[in-house]
Amino acid sequence: MFIIELTYKVSLDKVDAFLEEHIKYLNTQYKTGNFIASGRKVPRNGGIILSKNSNKEDLLKILNDDPFKKYDIADYKVTEFIPTKTSKELNFLKE
């Protein structure tokens, strides 16, 4: 499992100019099962994406299609972790 942290490199008006395209990208990744959760950071200086993808190389290729990445809107930090304990509702995340 991976946590992807996005940190904006540009002003929010520039982020908002690509937001609709970014949301379409996210929707596609949810449909294919690559992402399981995402949202804005507070304060709004970036976002977080959770991916159950098991291969980091594949995930990095997927992230390259994100408009925020293509247009150099945000920096990306990818952290892999293995969920070993979860609530009952999130048991599907355990490896």
Side-chain angles (χ1 to χ4, degrees), residues 16-57:
D16 288 341
F18 292 95
L19 190 57
E20 187 175 325
E21 196 175 339
H22 173 70
I23 290 170
K24 287 179 184 177
Y25 161 81
L26 290 173
N27 290 340
T28 298
Q29 299 313 314
Y30 278 104
K31 286 178 187 171
T32 59
N34 290 320
F35 295 166
I36 58 172
S38 60
R40 293 177 177 171
K41 294 192 298 187
V42 177
R44 188 179 171 207
N45 62 1
I48 301 290
I49 301 170
L50 299 181
S51 174
K52 187 105 168 66
N53 197 309
S54 60
N55 184 297
K56 188 173 184 176
E57 287 181 28

Side-chain angles (χ1 to χ4, degrees), residues 25 56-66:
Y25 161 81
K56 188 173 184 176
E57 287 181 28
D58 289 345
L59 176 61
L60 293 175
K61 289 177 188 173
I62 290 165
L63 293 175
N64 283 334
D65 290 334
D66 186 346

